[in-house]
């Protein structure tokens, strides 16, 4: 059978973003054993890098060996027991997924629904907490990939803390693109993706748990429903002093890539990376508004790295995106759920986030407009 | 921060095995979108390759985006509902893990225990089925990585079929190294690893479900406890005609590597690969017996790709394995559970499985013997 040659693509969809040659080269270094002392040293370096990226001192901080969807599941099934109440804010696809996961874990879910394209409303969350003071946790999406909205993580986590609830924060698309400050927020379980603003290939999910979250796990009355996601078992591998206990075989080469991508991000500096995302976003706004294209999200709640725009008049969603892909080699994303067929999602994440890429996209869109 | 340079290693432990330069190079090709038509075509090719490797026509055959431990969990939580009875054979670490997963899924587990180092006893399984005719499934490990034992998958699956039970077969270490014939066995859920005899980097897990298994899933009265592992949702991505529905972001680059490793295996031919594993095993037996080292498993039940030997007299486990690693660049594995400190595990899997590697190991072991 023939080798697979991926076509050249500028990845401006909701993820993955383009991966740098350095990260690709790191991934291609020879595989070594997952218990090799040299690899264990790398694991420790990655945990330290993730603490810097998440801005946390949390001891329990590591990359889950699976996509971010499973990190979402880990955060929720780790903290919830059957019969617990979870307050879950939904303003897009991923809040809905959180609710489904929590229900399957036997929790009672109180949904705080917000119109898609708007941030989570702290007042509605406050009201829900007052109605369900027995709730165990509040979960919400910091950076909604389906709508391009940023919610106010600091305020929402503070609401949870004041009421004695744990907080679960999805920042899959946030980490590396906008400020994420786990300790300042006093958030309890926070997870991210590698294929968004970190620009590592998809397949891993950085996650961090506060000491409060770890105490809550230790106080559980029932075992965690998933063996693979059992935090105590997993930490025997990620945290053991000296010899690590076998849990699963870590994705060695993917971790080489993540290490390199985190080195690049931290070498650039978080603040510089955030400013780069903002500058590219500003350019995109300028270029697309010049084409008469309107943004879905109010200015103050937009994610610079994930832009949603209304489909221009007379433009068909799938055929025009296919033209961008086939004729210009540019991938952008369509809408999900109630926004399917109505919006485009334009990612400016990580390595993709460069002014020249914005210009290239703007010119391609101008060419496909009717 | 400095780039990570893995030390040169000959990987002769229980996995990962050495990865070929071609597979490493495939992994390093540029990342494209997980919904890109070109990538969807690759997904279809990988599914076809896996059907050939598993020797099955099962429609539902795909690589899970996670380590094989999670494929084990997927097979069990997909087929078991709370209150179901599962007959689980245990002759090593992984049968025990199956039992723990089944219990967490709310199943009643009937354990058929066998001494570590022996194959699963079909008569004991038959007796357990007679005692629990209401059981939903039989689960066992075809190739026990913790002991180096091969159990008789054809006979065990036949016992299950005759009694109306579904069968779950763990062949994480088997696929590509010894015959695996899913359709001939009439097995219902079978999973493997990529980092053993397929010699792709760790992180993915090929899995296949029979039509009987799919019908059993459709007849469930309760939802699958895990959102991520819900077969119906996952197939919207892996099976959709034309446009695939979004489920999670597939590990694009890891799948490039798996495709290349499967191309190499199928290009060589399964029978040729099995013969290569057998020949290397025979050479290992000859060389190690020449050094007075005894094998743990009776000859007729040995896995050629995963060899367990008793620690030679006067040899300390950890320090001597560390010498093999540091002085000779060779990784082998220690024992697990009741065999910890008593055995060594020597993998001859996939790319590692070459006569010259056997000779290099034998010479290194001879040098560290007292």
């Amino acid at each position: 059978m023939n080798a697979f040659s991926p076509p050249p693509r500028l990845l401006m969809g909701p993820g993955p973003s383009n991966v740098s040659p350095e990260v690709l080269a790191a991934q291609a270094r020879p595989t070594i054993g997952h218990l090799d002392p040299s690899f264990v040293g790398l694991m420790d370096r990655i945990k330290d890098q993730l603490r810097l990226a998440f801005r946390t001192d949390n001891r329990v901080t590591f990359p889950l060996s699976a996509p971010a969807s499973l990190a979402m599941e880990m955060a929720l099934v780790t903290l919830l027991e059957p019969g617990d109440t979870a307050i879950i804010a939904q303003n897009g696809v991923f809040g809905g997924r959180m609710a489904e996961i929590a229900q399957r874990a036997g929790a009672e879910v109180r949904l705080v629904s917000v119109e898609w394209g708007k941030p989570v409303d702290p007042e509605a969350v406050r009201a829900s907490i007052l109605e369900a003071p027995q709730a165990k946790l509040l979960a919400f999406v910091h950076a909604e990939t389906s709508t391009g909205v940023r919610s106010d993580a600091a305020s929402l986590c503070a609401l949870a803390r004041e009421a004695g609830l744990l907080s679960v924060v999805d920042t899959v698309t946030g980490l590396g693109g906008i400020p994420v400050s786990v300790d300042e927020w006093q958030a309890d379980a926070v997870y991210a993706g590698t294929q968004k603003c970190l620009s590592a290939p998809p397949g891993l999910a950085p996650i961090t748990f506060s000491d409060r979250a770890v105490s809550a796990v230790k106080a559980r009355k029932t075992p965690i429903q998933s063996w693979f996601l059992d935090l105590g078992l997993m930490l025997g591998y990620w945290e053991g002093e000296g010899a690590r206990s076998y849990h699963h075989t870590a994705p060695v080469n993917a971790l080489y890539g993540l290490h390199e991508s985190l080195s690049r991000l931290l070498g650039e500096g978080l603040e510089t990376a955030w400013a780069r995302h903002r500058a590219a976003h500003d350019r995109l706004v300028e270029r697309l508004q010049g084409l008469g294209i309107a943004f879905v999200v109010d200015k103050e709640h937009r994610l610079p790295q994930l832009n949603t725009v209304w489909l221009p008049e007379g433009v068909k969603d799938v055929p025009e995106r296919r033209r961008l892909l086939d004729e210009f080699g540019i991938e952008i994303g369509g809408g999900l759920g109630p926004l399917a067929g109505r919006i485009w999602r334009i990612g400016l994440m990580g390595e993709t986030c460069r002014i020249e890429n914005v210009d290239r996209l703007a010119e391609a869109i101008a060419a496909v407009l009717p």
Side-chain angles (χ1 to χ4, degrees), chain A:
Chain A
M1 288 185 221
N2 297 329
F4 177 69
S5 293
R9 298 289 193 226
L10 176 56
L11 300 177
M12 305 189 87
S17 56
N18 284 106
V19 177
S20 71
E22 291 81 358
V23 170
L24 292 170
Q27 282 223 126
R29 297 201 180 108
T31 307
I32 61 173
H34 65 114
L35 297 170
D36 193 296
S38 171
F39 185 70
V40 170
L42 180 68
M43 287 160 70
D44 287 336
R45 285 162 68 178
I46 293 173
K47 290 191 294 177
D48 286 341
Q49 290 178 314
L50 288 177
R51 288 187 191 101
L52 292 171
F54 274 128
R55 299 188 143 190
T56 184
D57 292 328
N58 282 346
R59 189 177 62 84
V60 180
T61 304
F62 63 95
L64 182 67
S65 305
S69 311
L70 199 67
M72 178 191 283
E73 189 156 323
M74 181 171 196
L76 292 167
V77 306
T78 298
L79 297 178
L80 290 171
E81 296 191 69
D84 283 347
T85 297
I87 297 176
I88 297 181
Q90 182 187 19
N91 61 335
V93 165
F94 296 95
R97 183 174 292 185
M98 282 176 156
E100 200 177 329
I101 290 170
Q103 277 160 349
R104 289 183 190 225
E108 191 207 325
V109 171
R110 298 183 73 99
L111 209 57
V112 181
S113 290
V114 184
E115 190 187 341
W116 287 41
K118 303 286 181 196
V120 175
D121 176 9
E123 286 314 308
V125 168
R126 188 196 305 272
S128 185
I129 293 176
L130 282 175
E131 282 168 22
Q134 81 286 4
K136 179 94 167 277
L137 61 78
L138 166 68
F140 66 90
V141 180
H142 174 224
E144 243 301 346
T145 318
S146 61
T147 63
V149 165
R150 175 192 342 215
S151 289
D152 181 352
S155 297
L156 293 168
C157 288
L159 281 175
R161 289 286 295 138
E162 285 157 15
L165 276 65
L166 296 166
S167 53
V168 173
V169 183
D170 179 318
T171 191
V172 169
T173 290
L175 191 68
I178 51 172
V180 170
S181 293
V182 170
D183 284 2
E184 197 182 305
W185 296 346
Q186 295 191 280
D188 293 304
V190 183
Y191 54 89
T194 53
Q195 77 280 13
K196 312 281 187 179
C197 297
L198 302 185
S199 279
L204 297 170
I207 190 166
T208 183
F209 289 94
S210 71
D211 289 346
R212 283 182 305 273
V214 173
S215 298
V217 177
K218 288 186 180 150
R220 285 180 67 104
K221 293 180 187 69
T222 57
I224 292 171
Q225 67 181 25
S226 166
W227 179 89
F228 186 79
L229 298 178
D230 187 310
L231 188 64
L233 298 176
M234 196 174 284
L235 291 183
Y237 178 55
W238 275 99
E239 291 284 327
E241 290 297 319
R244 308 291 168 114
S245 64
Y246 167 65
H247 178 265
H248 67 280
T249 304
V252 172
N253 291 69
L255 288 162
Y256 296 169
L258 177 60
H259 173 256
E260 183 65 28
S261 78
L262 288 167
S263 294
R264 288 171 64 81
L265 173 65
L266 298 170
E268 177 182 16
L270 293 173
E271 288 83 356
T272 313
W274 302 335
R276 175 166 53 81
H277 284 85
R278 173 144 297 283
H281 165 76
D282 289 345
R283 176 71 148 231
L284 184 74
V285 172
E286 180 196 323
R287 294 294 308 252
L288 294 193
Q289 287 183 343
L291 295 172
I293 294 175
F295 279 65
V296 174
V297 179
D298 292 340
K299 195 169 177 183
E300 65 269 36
H301 305 303
R302 285 180 198 157
L303 291 170
Q305 68 270 44
L306 198 287
N307 298 272
T308 48
V309 297
W310 295 109
L311 230 65
E313 193 78 37
V315 170
K316 286 193 164 56
D317 175 24
V318 174
E320 300 305 349
R321 277 195 287 127
R322 190 63 194 250
R323 272 189 71 194
L324 289 174
L325 192 70
D326 291 343
E327 294 175 29
F328 299 89
I330 301 176
E331 176 178 271
I332 64 169
L336 297 175
L339 297 174
R342 299 173 59 208
I343 68 166
W344 278 349
R345 291 186 294 159
I346 299 170
L348 300 173
M349 303 189 291
E351 294 292 329
T352 297
C353 179
R354 309 267 168 219
I355 297 289
E356 59 268 29
N357 291 336
V358 173
D359 289 342
R360 195 175 140 193
L361 173 69
E363 279 146 35
I365 289 181
V368 303
L369 285 187

